[in-house]
Amino acid sequence: MRIRTLFFASFKDLVGTGRIDLDVPDGTTVAGLVSALRKRGGTWEKLPAEPAVAVNLEYSELSRALHHGDEVAVIPPVAGG
Amino acid sequence: MRIRTLFFASFKDLVGTGRIDLDVPDGTTVAGLVSALRKRGGTWEKLPAEPAVAVNLEYSELSRALHHGDEVAVIPPVAGG
Amino acid sequence: MIFADLTRDEISPQEALARVGAPGHGAVVLFLGVVRDHNEGRGVQGLEYEAYEEMAERVLEEIAREAARRVGSDRVAVIHRVGDLAVGDVSVAVAVSTPHRGEAYEASRYVIEEIKKRLPVWKRERYADGEEGWVPGHPPGEAGAGEGGDTP
Amino acid sequence: MIFADLTRDEISPQEALARVGAPGHGAVVLFLGVVRDHNEGRGVQGLEYEAYEEMAERVLEEIAREAARRVGSDRVAVIHRVGDLAVGDVSVAVAVSTPHRGEAYEASRYVIEEIKKRLPVWKRERYADGEEGWVPGHPPGEAGAGEGGDTP
């Protein structure tokens, strides 16, 4: 299944892109996706192993199973206000 | 010595005037003044025996000794804000 | 700048805001007291604030200075209205700015609580049924004044 | 009316105030976050807020609704700016009205604390010495986020 992942702020600077579409096996969890991203090597390895994430615009557990078309965001520490 | 006393809001309604000038003996305290006011009889007796008071624009103890020309205010419960 | 004023004119929240703020201040808190259409279950049409004006101006400034000192800010503005007010009118505006938000909230709250406790101002309500009456109020300085009962 | 907005335009405190208030509401609290000229001891010339906009709009509205529910009010307005801001610009405005003041302060504080904890927004500061950098921020949802350190 195809999953879009978004990166913001310092994470976007780190991986050099604001988004990536990856094909991952059915049943992949958010944690599995993060692991696959980190395995791309280079600066991708510097993404945290357990970042805050959102799935389809809501904060989510890393254990959540993904479905085709889900939009995942890897959320760096926030600094609004 | 001559002392001016001011009344506001419900106390003004009670005694029927916003101010009164009284001659009291030297050394009279605020408490003594209040007592003299209450002795005027009629609705004056309904003034509290120990009201909040201000002398020369500052809250004051009832034990404070007054001096000629002091301005005393008998302060009903406040309701600003 | 500490600013304290008792006024018969309509209170402008913008004016209160314009009196606070500084390049190092990241937080502004504005409190507005507004005349409600009811109190203690009775419909209210309007009210009159009477003040011991000379003293109230002093007390208002004292309170503003105390609040500023408590949080180490020099930007506190407080404006209290007197005279006749209609429902929806602003009766009091308190503006504070500080470097960080905790202090701004603290100073703001301090000012309004102290006003309720000790500002020599009295409120006469005009009720929907045509009656009028002085709102009971709080003995000046008494602990717990203000937040009890049905007052805003 | 619950109002939540993420905007690239200058924030108007008056607009935030105009979105709250009701005939039975005696208290209004407005909080403004303002860009300071320094942070952690460094001179700041301006900053950029980046947001995960679609999510931030949702979270902002969620927070406003939560605050309203907590105090039983239906008047909470929150506006957060994104894009480039200069020193003195308002980055966030939170307006709340309630019948009594305790609830207005509580709801106001709740909104700003939750924004600091979980709004997906990031801040890049431009320093006086020409450098730039992302402000460290707080892991979303972590307790104690926001009021620590040197944030406004």
Side-chain angles (χ1 to χ4, degrees), chain A residues 29-41:
Chain A
T29 62
V30 177
L33 175 71
V34 170
S35 174
L37 290 165
R38 284 163 45 89
K39 281 188 187 135
R40 293 173 63 80

Side-chain angles (χ1 to χ4, degrees), chain A residues 5-70:
Chain A
T5 306
L6 305 179
F7 301 94
F8 297 94
S10 58
F11 288 175
K12 183 174 170 180
D13 290 352
L14 180 68
V15 301
T17 184
R19 75 174 191 218
I20 189 170
D21 293 333
L22 281 188
D23 285 312
V24 294
D26 282 3
T28 297
T29 62
V30 177
L33 175 71
V34 170
S35 174
L37 290 165
R38 284 163 45 89
K39 281 188 187 135
R40 293 173 63 80
T43 57
W44 291 83
E45 287 175 19
K46 294 187 182 163
L47 283 173
E50 300 190 344
V53 292
V55 178
N56 302 334
L57 309 178
E58 288 187 3
Y59 285 111
S60 170
E61 302 292 320
L62 289 164
S63 58
R64 173 169 173 162
L66 293 169
H67 297 95
H68 182 76
D70 279 352

Side-chain angles (χ1 to χ4, degrees), chain D residues 28-95:
Chain D
V28 176
V29 172
L30 173 71
F31 173 84
L32 302 176
V34 181
V35 178
R36 294 184 298 155
D37 64 357
H38 66 275
N39 191 20
E40 310 264 345
R42 287 178 89 171
V44 170
Q45 290 197 317
L47 50 79
E48 182 202 343
Y49 279 100
E50 180 179 329
Y52 181 8
E53 298 199 11
E54 290 166 274
M55 180 174 169
E57 278 171 3
R58 278 198 183 202
V59 172
L60 214 49
E61 184 169 338
E62 258 172 41
I63 291 170
R65 290 196 183 281
E66 287 166 11
R69 205 157 42 228
R70 276 170 88 90
V71 301
S73 174
D74 54 352
R75 294 289 193 281
V76 176
V78 52
I79 308 171
H80 198 297
R81 184 133 171 233
V82 291
D84 287 322
L85 280 75
V87 170
D89 280 359
V90 174
S91 58
V92 59
V94 180

Side-chain angles (χ1 to χ4, degrees), chain C residues 89-121:
Chain C
D89 280 0
V90 175
S91 57
V92 59
V94 180
V96 178
S97 72
T98 56
H100 307 295
R101 67 189 181 283
E103 291 81 355
Y105 280 103
E106 184 191 336
S108 173
R109 194 74 198 257
Y110 179 83
V111 169
I112 187 64
E113 297 305 325
E114 291 300 310
I115 283 173
K116 299 266 176 186
K117 280 184 200 164
R118 59 187 166 109
L119 191 70
V121 166

